[in-house]
């Protein structure tokens, strides 16, 4: 028995090459190990994505989109905005959208559906409609604040105070946004200190997280790195920050990668790359969720999102609004499927 094992071992040795070249995969593993193992994606398509559409999208179609995103595995979908319909007509059906989503069974079970609220009126409307999470939004520049919400930055915080108070009473979570964090359509370059000051204020007020918005998609990897340096230097944990990048200059994925390497674990994106901002001329949509998921899959970062189902959701809404998905990954997958 022992003799036959020795013979087998010699045989096995003779089957192996005398020399083996080892390829060091260090740098690849290095990049993977710098990224968090898991990332939460907040799909803002039904709100940020659709708010800029000139033709009103039917409420049923918005609801169907949200359900399809949930079915694709997204655990957080920004559903609508309780803003003035005079300012953003596309969001005028906010209460109807929320009413259709009220039964959070089936596909919506365990899915967060935050909504935008710029003031107490918006907050109250949102809560009456069943929202359990709202997002307040401030800007990093005075000009954008005025154009977007008709008030100064300080006045916008005055409007948030009663929201924060009421949210505690109603047990509603509040997220914050800081817009134009990497550039302003009216003032150009924005000092990282100005952005950081707004983030700090929002967190101090009680926001559980602040999403850093590159509203016009002009940011670069270097700019993101500088901004996150400043955020950390102010003692703000990147655990409390999300990143919300538009893709106007095609830099969003690179910018997101910088954020992930720095420890950000929440990424906002928009299915099919929908969107733009009504108060930022020429700004294109958010980075496409399909592109983000494709990149994260390649990095071995878990998102819980089924890319094929997500592509279907993007194709659904793109067809409804009469254009092709603004996602390179989705276009490639759809072309491949088409044969
Ligand atoms: C903030 C206001 C309301 C101020 O607007 P205002 O005109 O200064 O407000 P007001 O208090 O004088 O009220 C005027 C009218 O609006 C009504 N009103 C007042 N509040 C509400 C409300 N919540 N919901 C519904 N109606 C409201 C109010 O009742 C009144 O009605 P009227 O008496 O004339 O019939 C307005 O400027 C507004 O709604 N702005 C929203 C703009 C917006 O939605 N922008 C896009 C979202 S932000 C964004 O996209 C950036 C982000 C978050 O994605 C991050 C990034 O990309 O970087």
């Amino acid at each position: 028995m022992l003799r036959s094992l020795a013979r087998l071992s010699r045989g096995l040795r003779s089957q192996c090459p005398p020399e083996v070249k080892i390829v060091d995969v260090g740098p690849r593993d290095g990049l993977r190990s710098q990224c968090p193992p898991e990332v939460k994606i907040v799909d803002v398509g039904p709100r940020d994505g659709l708010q800029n559409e000139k033709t009103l999208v039917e409420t049923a179609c918005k609801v169907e989109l949200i359900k399809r995103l949930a079915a694709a595995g997204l655990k957080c979908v920004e559903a609508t905005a309780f803003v003035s319909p005079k300012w953003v007509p596309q969001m005028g059906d906010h209460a109807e959208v929320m009413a259709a989503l009220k039964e959070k069974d089936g596909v919506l079970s365990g899915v967060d559906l935050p909504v935008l609220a710029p003031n107490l009126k918006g907050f109250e409307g949102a809560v009456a409609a069943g929202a359990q999470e709202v997002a307040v939004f401030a800007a990093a520049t005075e000009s954008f604040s005025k154009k977007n919400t008709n008030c100064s930055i300080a006045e916008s915080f005055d409007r948030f105070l009663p929201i924060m108070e009421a949210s505690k009473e109603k047990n509603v979570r509040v997220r914050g946004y800081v817009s134009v964090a990497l550039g302003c359509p009216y003032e150009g370059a924005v000092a990282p200190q100005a952005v950081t000051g707004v983030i700090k204020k929002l967190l101090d007020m009680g926001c559980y997280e602040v999403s850093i918005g590159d509203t016009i998609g002009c940011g670069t990897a270097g700019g993101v790195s500088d901004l996150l340096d400043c955020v950390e230097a102010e003692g703000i944990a990147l655990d409390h920050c999300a990143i919300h990048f538009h893709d106007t200059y095609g830099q969003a994925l690179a910018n997101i990668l910088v954020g992930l390497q720095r420890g950000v674990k929440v990424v906002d994106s928009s299915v099919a790359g929908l969107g733009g901002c009504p108060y930022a001329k020429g700004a294109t949509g958010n980075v496409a969720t399909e592109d983000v998921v494709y990149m994260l899959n390649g990095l071995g970062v878990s998102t819980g999102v089924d890319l094929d189902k997500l592509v279907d959701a993007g194709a659904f809404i793109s067809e409804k609004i009469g254009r092709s998905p603004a996602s390179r990954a989705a276009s490639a997958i759809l072309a491949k499927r088409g044969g």
Side-chain angles (χ1 to χ4, degrees), residues 239-253:
D239 264 5
H240 295 300
C241 296
I243 44 184
H244 176 110
F245 297 155
H246 288 247
D247 202 26
T248 315
Y249 285 78
Q251 304 297 301
L253 284 181

Side-chain angles (χ1 to χ4, degrees), residues 13-332:
R13 284 204 179 95
S14 71
Q15 284 164 33
C16 295
E19 214 175 291
V20 166
K21 181 178 160 198
I22 293 176
V23 180
D24 184 353
V25 292
R28 224 171 126 73
D29 281 349
L31 180 58
R32 287 205 173 101
S33 70
Q34 283 163 31
C35 294
E38 212 174 295
V39 160
K40 174 181 162 187
I41 297 182
V42 178
D43 196 294
V44 295
R47 194 280 302 172
D48 204 356
L50 293 181
Q51 70 186 7
N52 213 29
E53 287 299 316
K54 296 284 170 282
T55 310
L56 289 187
V57 178
E58 282 175 27
T59 305
C61 173
K62 294 173 182 171
V63 170
E64 175 70 16
L65 172 63
I66 292 165
K67 288 187 171 170
R68 282 178 183 242
L69 291 171
L74 282 144
K75 290 287 172 223
C76 188
V77 180
E78 202 170 65
T80 183
F82 284 77
V83 297
S84 163
K86 286 183 189 150
W87 284 65
V88 185
Q90 186 65 256
M91 297 288 111
D93 61 349
H94 38 225
E96 289 78 9
V97 169
M98 292 306 282
L101 299 170
K102 215 156 190 169
E103 297 312 320
K104 286 191 72 182
D105 51 358
V107 84
L108 293 175
S109 152
V111 176
D112 292 327
L113 300 170
V115 301
L116 245 50
N119 51 19
L120 192 59
K121 184 178 169 86
F123 176 85
E124 285 170 344
V127 172
Q132 287 163 345
E133 179 173 334
V134 300
V136 296
F137 48 105
T141 68
E142 291 296 344
S143 312
F144 193 80
S145 184
K146 189 83 189 153
K147 289 273 185 194
N148 198 30
T149 51
N150 200 25
C151 66
S152 69
I153 299 172
E155 284 163 344
S156 71
F157 278 101
D158 291 344
R159 291 174 181 176
F160 302 157
L161 275 174
I163 294 182
M164 301 314 297
E165 280 301 309
S167 72
K168 280 181 219 140
E169 207 177 291
K170 302 276 180 192
N171 207 16
V172 168
R173 297 211 311 162
V174 184
R175 192 181 199 229
Y177 277 105
V178 53
S179 297
V180 295
L182 289 154
C184 173
Y186 311 107
E187 297 186 24
V190 177
Q193 291 77 6
V195 181
T196 306
V198 173
I199 297 174
K200 203 165 171 7
K201 250 183 160 166
L202 288 167
L203 290 173
D204 288 349
M205 265 183 159
C207 292
Y208 74 90
E209 169 180 288
V210 176
S211 187
I212 302 174
D214 181 10
T215 315
I216 55 169
C218 64
T220 63
V224 172
S225 182
D226 292 345
L227 175 56
L228 298 183
D229 280 346
C230 186
V231 170
E232 285 192 302
E234 279 299 318
I236 299 167
L238 292 181
D239 264 5
H240 295 300
C241 296
I243 44 184
H244 176 110
F245 297 155
H246 288 247
D247 202 26
T248 315
Y249 285 78
Q251 304 297 301
L253 284 181
N255 295 348
I256 289 170
L257 190 54
V258 170
L260 299 180
Q261 286 177 289
R262 298 293 297 269
V264 175
K265 297 189 192 75
V266 183
V267 176
D268 296 359
S269 57
S270 179
V271 65
L274 295 173
C277 177
Y279 304 103
K281 214 174 173 198
T284 64
N286 294 84
V287 63
T289 310
E290 296 92 318
D291 294 348
V292 174
V293 170
Y294 185 80
M295 179 178 81
L296 294 178
N297 284 349
L299 284 165
V301 174
S302 156
T303 60
V305 178
D306 178 321
L307 184 54
D308 274 313
K309 285 187 183 163
L310 177 64
V311 168
D312 290 341
F316 162 78
I317 189 63
S318 299
E319 201 219 312
K320 292 284 180 194
I321 61 173
R323 69 175 78 111
S324 307
S327 155
R328 301 291 289 261
S331 304

